[in-house]
């Protein structure tokens, strides 16, 4: 069967291919492929589209980034492989610092991911990483001018421990995570339950159109529980009619 090019399933097949290639190129870790598969399953449950509540979360994220003093985008292997160009556009619209933070950290991966991001127009924070985040392993390694100074930090596909540590440091954490039940999703200040390549352009779009009064209103106290509950309800609704 041929799947039409504008069908969401076609897009997810292309994304899967790109990710598999990025494993071969040393950008994405093997664990990253597993994480992607988990994301695909949840994406299927929300209908492989941006839901209304995710759209509101994306608008809220734009408001939080706009009102931040020192916004930072933390990029891992999966995010770089899937959305290097989208990160460049978000950086242009927000002026945020882009920092690479890896769970499975090697200097070679940092170098390759930096090259990939820069070839797509991202300015990547460089320098010497230090043990800034209170974690015992390499996920502690960050940059004083990036995570060190951040008040708002956008972490697509974050792991739970690091999310918790960033919150303990007093940072507002915006997560992008298709699994509303993950530790990251439940702990973050704001979780966008959407696929990263759909979520980032939405945030960029809102950054360019939000009015001052919306920024103040939306960024005040994001209700993360509301966004998670709405995502679960959406999945529930779809499952209830899955065989119709
Ligand atoms: O590149 P590294 O070394 O930093 O490793 C990155 C991974 C992703 C392996 C690491 O951060 C990790 O293990 O993450 P987790 O704990 O598996 O969490 C990833 C979360 O992202 C899961 O809840 C997935 O459902 C979700 N996810 C996967 N793909 C996407 C996604 N969410 C949004 N968009 C996606 N494309």
């Amino acid at each position: 069967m041929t799947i039409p090019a504008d069908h969401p399933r076609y897009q997810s097949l292309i994304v899967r291919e790109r990710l598999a290639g990025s494993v071969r190129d040393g950008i994405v870790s093997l664990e990253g492929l597993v994480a992607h598969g988990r994301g695909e399953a949840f994406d299927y449950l929300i209908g492989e589209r941006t839901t209304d509540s995710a759209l509101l979360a994306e608008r809220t994220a734009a408001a939080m980034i706009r009102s931040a003093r020192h916004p930072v985008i933390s990029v891992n292997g999966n995010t770089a492989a899937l959305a290097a160009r989208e990160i460049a556009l978000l950086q242009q619209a927000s002026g945020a610092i882009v920092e690479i933070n890896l769970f499975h950290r090697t200097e070679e991966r940092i170098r390759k991911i930096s090259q990939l991001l820069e070839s797509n127009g991202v300015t990547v924070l460089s320098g010497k990483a230090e043990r800034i985040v209170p974690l015992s392993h390499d996920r502690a390694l960050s940059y004083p001018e990036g995570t060190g100074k951040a008040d708002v930090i956008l972490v697509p596909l974050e792991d739970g421990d690091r999310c918790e540590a960033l919150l303990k440091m007093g940072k507002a954490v915006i997560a992008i995570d298709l699994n509303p039940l993950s530790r990251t999703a439940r702990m973050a200040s704001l979780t966008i339950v959407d696929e990263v390549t759909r979520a980032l352009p939405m945030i960029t779009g809102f950054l360019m159109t939000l009015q001052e009064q919306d920024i103040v209103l939306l960024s005040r106290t994001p209700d993360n529980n509301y966004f998670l509950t709405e995502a679960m309800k959406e999945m529930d609704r779809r499952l209830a009619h899955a065989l119709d």
Side-chain angles (χ1 to χ4, degrees):
M1 189 184 75
T2 313
I3 303 170
D6 59 349
H7 193 282
R9 191 66 37 75
Y10 182 83
Q11 299 307 325
S12 71
L13 285 174
I14 295 202
V15 165
R16 193 184 295 170
E17 275 306 302
R18 189 172 341 146
L19 218 67
S22 301
V23 173
R24 291 189 283 272
D25 294 343
I27 303 268
V28 172
S29 61
L30 277 178
E31 294 80 354
L33 268 193
V34 178
H36 184 75
R38 202 157 49 245
E40 276 188 347
F42 282 100
D43 202 19
Y44 190 71
L45 290 180
I46 60 163
E48 296 170 295
R49 72 195 208 293
T50 300
T51 61
D52 289 346
S53 59
L55 198 64
L56 180 59
E58 283 148 8
R59 213 162 152 243
T60 306
M64 289 171 72
I65 292 169
R66 184 55 87 219
S67 56
R69 281 187 318 280
H70 197 88
V72 167
I73 306 167
S74 169
V75 177
N76 63 13
N78 288 47
T79 309
L82 293 175
R85 187 66 196 140
E86 287 83 351
I87 292 161
L89 296 174
L90 178 57
Q91 183 177 44
Q92 274 166 31
S94 63
I97 300 269
V98 172
E99 178 180 313
I100 300 172
N101 287 299
L102 300 183
F103 193 144
H104 310 281
R105 188 185 177 95
T106 64
E107 285 314 311
E108 195 191 356
R109 278 190 77 211
I110 295 272
R111 186 177 50 74
K112 286 182 171 174
I113 293 169
S114 259
Q115 275 170 0
L116 173 67
L117 291 172
E118 283 172 356
S119 67
N120 278 277
V122 180
T123 303
V124 179
L125 185 66
S126 57
K128 192 172 159 23
E130 296 176 18
R131 296 202 159 267
I132 288 176
V133 184
L135 289 168
S136 57
H137 35 72
D138 278 355
R139 281 174 297 167
L141 290 169
S142 282
Y143 302 86
E145 290 304 310
T147 296
K149 276 194 183 166
D151 52 347
V152 173
I153 181 156
L154 173 66
V155 288
L157 284 66
E158 185 56 283
D159 78 276
D161 288 352
R162 191 159 176 277
C163 176
E164 186 174 18
L166 291 169
L167 289 165
K168 278 193 189 142
M169 291 171 80
K171 317 220 177 258
V173 176
I174 304 170
I176 301 176
D177 194 330
L178 280 160
N179 178 2
L181 295 172
S182 76
R183 272 188 74 225
T184 301
R186 284 185 285 131
M187 265 184 315
S189 320
L190 171 70
T191 301
I192 299 168
V193 184
D194 200 0
E195 208 281 326
V196 67
T197 61
R198 293 195 301 265
L200 294 174
M202 292 293 186
I203 302 173
T204 303
F206 284 127
L207 274 166
M208 295 191 287
T209 54
L210 271 182
Q211 303 293 311
E212 198 51 47
Q213 67 268 27
D214 297 330
I215 295 175
V216 175
L217 205 70
L218 287 167
S219 59
R220 211 170 279 162
T221 39
D223 183 352
N224 196 40
N225 236 358
Y226 166 79
F227 292 114
L228 299 184
T229 307
E230 285 304 305
M232 301 282 292
K233 280 189 198 161
E234 182 63 33
M235 291 178 189
D236 203 29
R237 268 194 296 271
R238 286 185 57 81
L239 276 175
H241 298 285
L243 297 179
D244 291 355

